Amino acid sequence: MVREMEGAGLPTVFFSSIPAIPLAFGATRILPGRAIRYVLGDPSLPLDRERHVRRRMVEAALQALGQPCPRPTLLSLPA
Amino acid sequence: MRLEIASYQVKDVRFGAATRLRDGVLEIDADELRRLLLQDPALDDVTVALARPGESVRIIHVLDTVEPRARMSQPGTDFPGHLSPPLTVGEGRTHRLAGVAVMETAELPLSLGGLNVKEAIVDMSGPAAAFTPFASTLNVVLTFKVCPGLSYAEYDAAIRHAGLRAAVHLAEVTRDLPPHEVETFALGPSSPDLPRIVYTCLLCQEGDVHHDFVYGRTVDETPTLVHPNEFLDGAIVNGEHHIAAYLKPTFFHQNHPIIRELYRRHGHELTFAGVVLTKCLTWSNFDKQRSASFAAKLARLLGAQGVVISAGTGGHAVADLMLNCQEAARAGLKTALTCFEMAGDRGDEFGFVTYVPEADAVVSTGNMDELIDLPPVERVIGGTTIIDIGDYEGGGGAAALGALTTAMRRLYCCTSLVGPGLMTTRPV
Amino acid sequence: MGTLRIVHYLNQFFAGVGGEKHANVAPERRHGAAGPGVPMQKALGEAAEIVATVYCGDDYFNVNGEAAIARIVELIAAEAPAVVVTGPAFASGRYGMACAAVGQAVEERLGIPAVTAMATDNPAVELYRRSLCIIPTGESVATTGEIVERMARIALKRGRGEPLGRPDDEGYLSRGIRQNVIVPQPAAVRVVDLVLRKVRGEPYTTEIPLPDVDPLVPAPPLRDLKTATIALVTSGGVVPRGNPDRIEARRASRWSKFSIAGLDDLSSRDFECIHGGFDNELVAADPDRVLPVDVMRELEREGSIGRLHEYCYATVGAGGPIERARRFGRDISAELLAAGVQAVIMTAT
């Protein structure tokens, strides 16, 4: 899906908990989700800390949108 | 480890005054069997029915299927971790009733989280018979009614134990009889010039309806090694009741097609170097990668040049299969995989959930989305109505006696991932 | 068996009427074989007769669409053929489309089998290969001799109602359809055969070829985050409570569009997770775990991004086909672009 969006002119970032999948199917900017059951979350943390984790992941995504990405690439999240 | 399996060929099965094997006919005292199984207070009732190849019979709500086996050399060691202490098996002498399968059926309450028990159908005749391996076995079908008020896990365990108990009980008839055939399973010496092949078996665990048991515990995150005889002798028990088509019931661990094929060629075309067990359907990419890399390393430690990897189940477990393939390939091993296809009801969609470029040698066990028309039958065992959960499969809610059109995903084991089946796909 | 009747469809050039100048000639029929039909008739021998050749200018066909098809079908029907052959079109796009469209029309409207031929990268192939028997050709008309022989052979079979062999054996394009069949050896034996071939360095064939992924021209990266409008899309199945767009729990056939205007986050009171492919309890408890509205809204307020687009798009990705996912992607992009969205963050489980 996201490959078509990229092709239509919209830069995309794809959070996937199984990066092998978008890598095979051709999404460009791929960021690892945390787990299948909570892509951008962490239920082991209290809500404000979980939100902080989520925010840092989204910020990494927004940063990546500003970078060119010619090939499917698994990007890493900041530590 | 050296295992002798003595086979007793059964030509027919019927009810009788006593449970015994006479002239190739298995006679079953149904009341005795019922009493034995109803010792478990979780079970309210069990009925025993017989289904023979060619009969106009449909069996529904199938759970696990077990081949009647009893370990003769050491009493009280059957199905370790379930009926007996979790101690190593795979040596000594075990008897089997060949041509018979014990099937568990029950209408179970839906389990949690959207992962439900799916419908599983066996037709003993008609167009579906060619696609279900158990259309050619004499089936002793146990239909369970569970007592209300217990947890799903308790029902599941009670039914599983009852099926295993019934399998041992029936095989006991062979104790003092001469067998038709004795096969010996031992990894004897093999030329170092022959290619060393490892079999990596993906097993799963998730929620209540995906369980593969290894000596009574579900498989865990760190891959491990087993001797192939452990599969053949009851160490691996199935508790997966999700999509029927690609299941690997206990019967197919006892008669594991890939293990038997590797054994058959051991010393002639290849050296069967061992079996790696690894978990699939893990919830995070971290665990998927960790298990895949670890399993590849175990294969390397076994000196493998090639590895056969069987898919464990569907959904994102296909990602596990592919990652195992990728890690093994990166470790320098030649890989060949088994997997099912979800190619749409017209067969025109790419069949895999995902793939890796290294997956260039895959054997397809068939497209489970293809539709099949089942005719009406004279008798149904196991219930009255086809289960339908959501509109995913279509055809649900239909009366089981009547004609119905269903995706082949409801046909029990038609695309079984350990490879017993003759079904595959071809392009047209 | 009587002589099989065949009608051959050509464009104006191959029918010998003329070149590009005559591309707008209306459908016509003439008796017997013409152009490549002549060597085809030789290949058919006594077994079949090309009783008529129907031709139409490529431009005329292109412009008149249905009207042209209807007239061509009428002309063909009057000859009562057992099979219709169209082309070969080789690399010609307009002609290829016409050949394929005529072939399909004849099958659907007259119930007569059709056979066509064109280069594998002819645009008509992708559109018609599933429903039509297409013989692959190279680009060059120099191969006409071999091609018309193959067309003759396959046309005879189809005209007689004989089943065709496998695509590779018979010489036509696989329709991209896979059917379940029973084979002599179980999968367990086949997979051991396969691994041994690989280890020995022998040639091997996979039973499931991997798809070719066309090269993608990626979008230019986002220039200015602070003024950008960004949309959130997911295949994780988070939708408004009640699932008003009726998205299916697996292999969803459609997507849901819903407004998050005025919302600072997604609550389990107003949103639910209907994805049937995993244990979705944790996402249901806090849908921001899949559609991070809470965090995006914060960033919007701070001015780190221009705007969070007021609509979210959701579907369920469990077990869906590639073509459908592509279609969703195209449809959703069209809406997003029209709404002035400049980038997308997508999540999947």
Side-chain angles (χ1 to χ4, degrees):
Chain A
M1 225 162 86
V2 77
R3 199 183 137 79
E4 289 297 321
M5 296 180 186
E6 188 81 41
L10 288 163
T12 61
V13 171
F14 190 175
F15 277 104
S16 170
S17 45
I18 312 174
I21 299 182
L23 273 170
F25 286 113
T28 50
R29 298 173 194 76
I30 301 164
L31 279 170
R34 289 180 80 85
I36 288 169
R37 295 188 308 151
Y38 41 90
V39 183
L40 294 172
D42 190 342
S44 69
L45 297 171
L47 182 58
D48 61 335
R49 298 254 303 280
E50 184 183 1
R51 257 201 193 136
H52 181 72
V53 166
R54 180 153 54 247
R55 178 168 164 139
R56 295 192 63 210
M57 293 174 78
V58 171
E59 282 171 343
L62 293 170
Q63 278 277 20
L65 283 170
Q67 306 298 320
C69 191
R71 261 178 299 287
T73 309
L74 179 56
L75 304 166
S76 25
L77 290 167
Chain B
M1 282 174 84
R2 186 191 156 87
L3 175 67
E4 279 182 3
I5 298 185
S7 294
Y8 295 78
Q9 203 63 40
V10 177
K11 296 181 315 217
D12 194 13
V13 61
R14 54 180 94 122
F15 291 122
T19 302
R20 62 184 169 190
L21 180 63
R22 231 170 29 152
D23 298 325
V25 177
L26 176 66
E27 291 174 17
I28 300 178
D29 177 350
D31 285 326
E32 177 193 48
L33 181 55
R34 269 185 82 248
R35 281 196 308 274
L36 171 70
L37 301 182
L38 288 177
Q39 284 173 16
D40 187 333
L43 299 175
D44 188 22
D45 196 12
V46 58
T47 47
V48 185
L50 304 175
R52 302 175 187 81
E55 289 182 338
S56 176
V57 169
R58 177 166 295 148
I59 310 169
I60 65 173
H61 308 336
V62 184
L63 299 169
D64 193 21
T65 300
V66 189
E67 183 172 72
R69 298 244 182 140
R71 283 177 45 75
M72 293 291 157
S73 39
Q74 275 175 285
T77 58
D78 300 293
F79 298 109
H82 301 274
L83 300 184
S84 64
L87 305 175
T88 301
V89 293
E91 296 181 279
R93 188 172 174 104
T94 296
H95 287 191
R96 72 184 274 254
L97 287 177
V100 178
V102 172
M103 288 190 155
E104 305 159 6
T105 73
E107 282 183 25
L108 286 175
L110 299 182
S111 58
L112 305 167
L115 295 172
N116 296 300
V117 175
K118 299 283 189 194
E119 185 59 83
I121 302 173
V122 175
D123 271 11
M124 301 303 294
S125 61
F131 300 111
T132 42
F134 297 106
S136 48
T137 46
L138 295 159
N139 298 322
V140 177
V141 186
L142 308 172
T143 302
F144 295 95
K145 242 185 86 193
V146 294
C147 292
L150 301 175
S151 69
Y152 181 88
E154 287 170 285
Y155 295 142
D156 187 47
I159 292 172
R160 177 166 42 258
H161 291 168
L164 296 175
R165 211 169 272 131
V168 176
H169 173 78
L170 293 179
E172 271 294 334
V173 302
T174 65
R175 182 167 284 278
D176 299 314
L177 299 176
H180 291 103
E181 186 192 6
V182 178
E183 288 175 281
T184 304
F185 294 92
L187 289 176
S190 179
S191 164
D193 297 329
L194 292 176
R196 292 182 65 82
I197 308 294
V198 161
Y199 168 48
T200 296
C201 182
L202 267 55
L203 298 175
C204 63
Q205 193 280 320
E206 184 185 29
D208 294 328
V209 299
H210 287 291
H211 287 299
D212 286 314
F213 293 96
V214 182
Y215 289 100
R217 281 224 178 286
T218 52
V219 64
D220 66 47
E221 263 69 22
T222 302
T224 189
L225 296 178
V226 293
H227 190 282
N229 291 3
E230 298 179 82
F231 267 87
L232 304 179
D233 207 19
I236 316 293
V237 168
N238 168 67
E240 185 180 0
H241 311 312
H242 200 50
I243 295 177
Y246 52 55
L247 296 181
K248 345 177 263 315
T250 301
F251 187 102
F252 286 133
H253 292 309
Q254 295 166 298
N255 293 291
H256 200 294
I258 294 172
I259 288 178
R260 288 185 62 100
E261 183 60 19
L262 289 169
Y263 248 128
R264 198 176 65 81
R265 305 201 208 189
H266 174 76
H268 311 294
E269 288 174 69
L270 54 89
T271 298
F272 187 1
V275 178
V276 172
L277 292 185
T278 186
K279 184 178 178 181
C280 64
L281 211 61
T282 44
W283 282 336
S284 67
N285 197 57
F286 177 89
D287 281 310
K288 284 180 180 337
Q289 285 193 303
R290 181 179 174 280
S291 294
S293 184
F294 206 107
K297 179 227 6 244
L298 288 179
R300 278 173 65 196
L301 292 179
L302 289 172
Q305 291 156 283
V307 58
V308 171
I309 313 175
S310 59
T313 183
H316 60 90
V318 177
D320 288 282
L321 175 72
M322 294 299 169
L323 288 175
N324 270 278
C325 173
Q326 191 170 64
E327 289 301 320
R330 287 177 179 168
L333 306 175
K334 304 288 184 211
T335 62
L337 316 179
T338 68
C339 197
F340 66 98
E341 292 180 74
M342 286 198 313
D345 57 3
R346 290 187 312 163
D348 59 356
E349 298 162 17
F350 177 62
F352 291 148
V353 169
T354 185
Y355 65 96
V356 293
E358 292 86 350
D360 65 354
V362 186
V363 158
S364 167
T365 56
N367 174 21
M368 68 173 186
D369 290 337
E370 196 171 296
L371 296 176
I372 189 168
D373 297 317
L374 304 184
V377 291
E378 285 166 25
R379 184 163 67 109
V380 172
I381 305 174
T384 53
T385 313
I386 303 297
I387 296 174
D388 179 39
I389 292 152
D391 52 5
Y392 186 27
E393 292 107 0
L401 263 179
L404 68 131
T405 300
T406 177
M408 291 177 78
R409 65 181 58 222
R410 286 207 184 91
L411 299 185
Y412 191 58
C413 302
C414 71
T415 64
S416 177
L417 298 170
V418 292
L422 299 174
M423 184 169 85
T424 186
T425 58
R426 285 278 183 269
V428 296
Chain C
M1 194 173 296
T3 311
L4 212 67
R5 295 172 65 84
I6 300 184
V7 170
H8 191 183
Y9 173 82
L10 294 171
N11 72 0
Q12 82 288 349
F13 172 75
F14 285 99
V17 171
E20 201 52 42
K21 281 202 296 275
H22 299 266
N24 51 15
V25 66
E28 285 287 349
R29 175 181 53 208
R30 64 161 65 132
H31 185 68
V38 172
M40 199 183 301
Q41 179 64 73
K42 277 218 190 63
L44 290 166
E46 305 283 305
E49 191 190 343
I50 299 175
V51 296
T53 300
V54 171
Y55 62 87
C56 178
D58 284 336
D59 276 347
Y60 185 94
F61 189 94
N62 199 27
V63 165
N64 289 283
E66 174 52 39
I69 294 179
R71 179 66 185 138
I72 292 165
V73 168
E74 203 186 324
L75 289 170
I76 291 174
E79 297 290 337
V83 59
V84 170
V85 180
T86 72
F90 298 102
S92 165
R94 282 175 308 156
Y95 185 22
M97 294 293 274
C99 284
V102 168
Q104 186 174 78
V106 144
E107 288 202 347
E108 278 174 8
R109 303 179 199 195
L110 303 177
I112 297 174
V115 178
T116 187
M118 63 188 75
T120 47
D121 58 0
N122 193 306
V125 166
E126 207 194 302
L127 292 173
Y128 287 94
R129 76 181 290 166
R130 293 211 187 113
S131 47
L132 211 52
C133 179
I134 303 177
I135 293 169
T137 74
E139 306 287 310
S140 159
V141 305
T143 59
T144 298
E146 190 267 311
I147 294 297
V148 299
E149 273 178 27
R150 217 188 309 164
M151 290 172 85
R153 179 169 43 79
I154 292 179
L156 269 178
K157 278 193 168 175
R158 298 215 73 210
R160 287 174 179 154
E162 288 168 16
L164 292 178
R166 287 174 53 180
D168 288 337
D169 299 331
E170 201 76 73
Y172 62 96
L173 281 182
S174 154
R175 298 168 124 190
I177 290 173
R178 305 179 68 85
Q179 265 178 13
N180 284 332
V181 295
I182 298 285
V183 293
Q185 292 191 317
V189 172
R190 304 194 320 263
V191 75
V192 172
D193 279 343
L194 202 47
V195 81
L196 283 175
R197 288 183 155 277
K198 278 182 89 164
V199 170
R200 291 180 194 138
E202 291 166 10
Y204 61 93
T205 316
T206 183
E207 293 183 359
I208 311 181
L210 301 179
D212 301 310
V213 183
D214 324 308
L216 172 70
V217 178
L222 202 53
R223 211 77 75 76
D224 185 8
L225 206 47
K226 291 196 162 63
T227 59
T229 301
I230 306 192
L232 293 176
V233 176
T234 187
S235 62
V238 166
V239 295
R241 196 157 272 291
N243 193 5
D245 292 323
R246 306 247 146 277
I247 309 302
E248 301 94 318
R250 287 171 192 268
R251 308 186 97 195
S253 62
R254 40 186 181 274
W255 39 269
S256 173
K257 172 184 175 181
F258 51 91
S259 170
I260 49 162
L263 292 177
D264 285 340
D265 77 324
L266 298 184
S267 75
S268 57
R269 198 191 53 221
D270 301 319
F271 294 89
E272 57 172 326
C273 180
I274 46 111
H275 196 302
F278 72 104
D279 181 355
N280 57 34
E281 202 184 313
L282 292 168
V283 173
D286 185 359
D288 294 293
R289 287 172 173 146
V290 153
L291 280 173
V293 172
D294 56 354
V295 153
M296 290 293 280
R297 201 54 94 191
E298 237 176 53
L299 291 161
E300 185 186 46
R301 243 187 227 118
E302 290 164 13
S304 305
I305 61 171
R307 232 166 51 89
L308 170 61
H309 187 50
E310 70 171 299
Y311 292 104
C312 283
Y313 290 80
T315 185
V316 168
I322 301 181
E323 280 69 37
R324 188 182 296 169
R326 282 204 181 128
R327 185 168 38 89
F328 288 1
R330 283 195 289 270
D331 295 344
I332 296 175
S333 320
E335 288 205 14
L336 294 176
L337 286 167
V341 168
Q342 286 148 304
V344 172
I345 295 180
M346 167 130 175
T347 62
T349 54

